[in-house]
Amino acid sequence: MDLGIDSRTETGASINVGAIQTDLLRSARFRVEREAHWRQLDDLVTRAEKGGAATLGYDDVRNLASGYRQAMNSLSVARDISLDRALIAYLESLCARAYLVVYAPQESLGGLITRLLVQGIPQAARRSALPLFIGFLALILGAAAGYRLFTHDPSWFYTFVPPDMADQRTPAASADYLRSTIYGDERHESDRLAAFSAFLFSHNTTIVVFIFALGVFMSVPSFILTFYNGLMLGAFFAMFSRKGLGYDIFAWLSIHGVTELAAIAIACAGGARLGLAILVPGVRTRREALRHQAHDAVKLAILAALMLVVAAFIEGVLRQTIQDPIWRLGIGWGMGVFWVSWLLFSGRESKISRGPKR
């Protein structure tokens, strides 16, 4: 009985050894037949990783593409016939490196930023006509409502405008004091105004982040926050207009407000794109629609952040040194023309005639 068990054990062991030897021979034959192509691909990938794909010649690029296809085919066969793990791991690593060389964008950081500014952001803005309409509509309606409410009852000012932002500019202030806040020699009050500008920039940045992020909740919170900023703007403008300073405050607001308020509306548009993906997903699922809309929504958020940086510089430097309302209007609305021109015309493909030359 013992001899029978030993013989079966030896027979099983010999079968296993034979199977392992067969697998090794098959792996060795598989490697020998294809190893030259793998080495060539490895060399091309290494050169591309060190110097970039632009360093490869035409023949090298062609060999790289064909070698990548052959390596993927070899990896598929190796997995199907269960070759040794070391060979499969090598092929997986080689195919992954080759994939990055073939398909990953071969572009520097500067090139990516340039493409984002020249093409990505303007094209995203042009594809966002309805969300941009929603954002600017919320701001305009809020400003109109704030102005009208203040006209009927000035106490609404204290409801809309936070005390820190008002900075003693209230309905109870005299016209002379309000005028001094517009045309005062602000260079001698640089510390106070710098702190005030930093507060405004921090406040607006926080508002922009909230407006954009809350847009995913069907756009309603984004619309409400933008509308509230319009209420503050309308009440603030109405207070100065009541003292006969409407033109002056309009010029004072224009120099930085054209860029700053547009940034808030654009952030609302980015949030609206997310909200519309939830409300109106179309043929896609809501998750797919949200993922699709997020590409342009993020670009709008980047645009809003860039505009806030420019507005902070204008508000912190130019508004303090430029007292002439004509110059304030020219700079403010000139920046508006710049933003509109950039977003409307940058990144458009030139129309090439496809007909035969005569």
Side-chain angles (χ1 to χ4, degrees), residues 75 78-79 83-96:
L75 176 59
R79 286 172 173 172
L83 297 182
D84 63 282
R85 294 182 179 179
L87 177 61
I88 294 177
Y90 168 75
L91 288 174
E92 288 177 344
S93 174
L94 178 61
C95 290

Side-chain angles (χ1 to χ4, degrees), residues 137-199:
L137 179 66
L139 189 65
I140 294 172
L141 289 178
Y147 182 88
R148 189 166 183 83
L149 288 172
F150 180 91
T151 302
H152 286 284
D153 185 1
S155 64
W156 280 105
F157 180 88
Y158 301 99
T159 303
F160 298 146
V161 182
D164 293 337
M165 184 172 290
D167 192 30
Q168 299 181 2
R169 293 170 294 186
T170 64
S174 64
D176 292 336
Y177 175 78
L178 294 179
R179 182 185 295 274
S180 69
T181 62
I182 299 176
Y183 295 113
D185 190 359
E186 297 179 343
R187 286 170 292 184
H188 297 301
E189 303 177 6
S190 58
D191 292 339
R192 184 179 67 85
L193 289 171
F196 181 60
S197 297
F199 166 77

Side-chain angles (χ1 to χ4, degrees), residues 198-277:
F199 166 77
L200 288 177
F201 176 70
S202 175
H203 169 79
N204 290 329
T205 302
T206 304
I207 290 296
V208 163
V209 171
F210 273 107
I211 286 174
F212 175 76
L214 294 177
V216 72
F217 298 103
M218 296 180 291
S219 301
V220 175
S222 296
F223 189 92
I224 292 175
L225 281 175
T226 308
F227 183 84
Y228 171 69
N229 276 266
L231 287 174
M232 289 192 294
L233 174 65
F236 198 77
F237 181 79
M239 179 185 66
F240 279 82
S241 296
R242 191 182 183 189
K243 304 290 185 178
L245 300 172
Y247 171 75
D248 306 276
I249 191 60
F250 181 74
W252 185 84
L253 287 171
S254 293
I255 190 171
H256 68 280
V258 171
T259 299
E260 188 175 276
L261 296 172
I264 294 175
I266 289 171
C268 180
R273 290 211 68 150
L274 300 178
L276 290 174

Side-chain angles (χ1 to χ4, degrees), residues 9-57:
T9 303
E10 291 176 0
T11 302
S14 63
I15 293 174
N16 291 335
V17 171
I20 293 174
Q21 290 176 349
T22 302
D23 290 341
L24 291 176
L25 290 173
R26 185 167 52 182
S27 297
R29 192 183 311 115
F30 185 84
R31 181 187 292 269
V32 169
E33 293 173 353
R34 297 167 173 81
E35 191 169 12
H37 298 289
W38 301 342
R39 289 185 180 277
Q40 182 187 32
L41 178 62
D42 197 344
D43 178 65
L44 293 172
V45 170
T46 302
R47 287 168 54 191
E49 289 173 341
K50 292 181 178 180
T55 60
L56 302 179

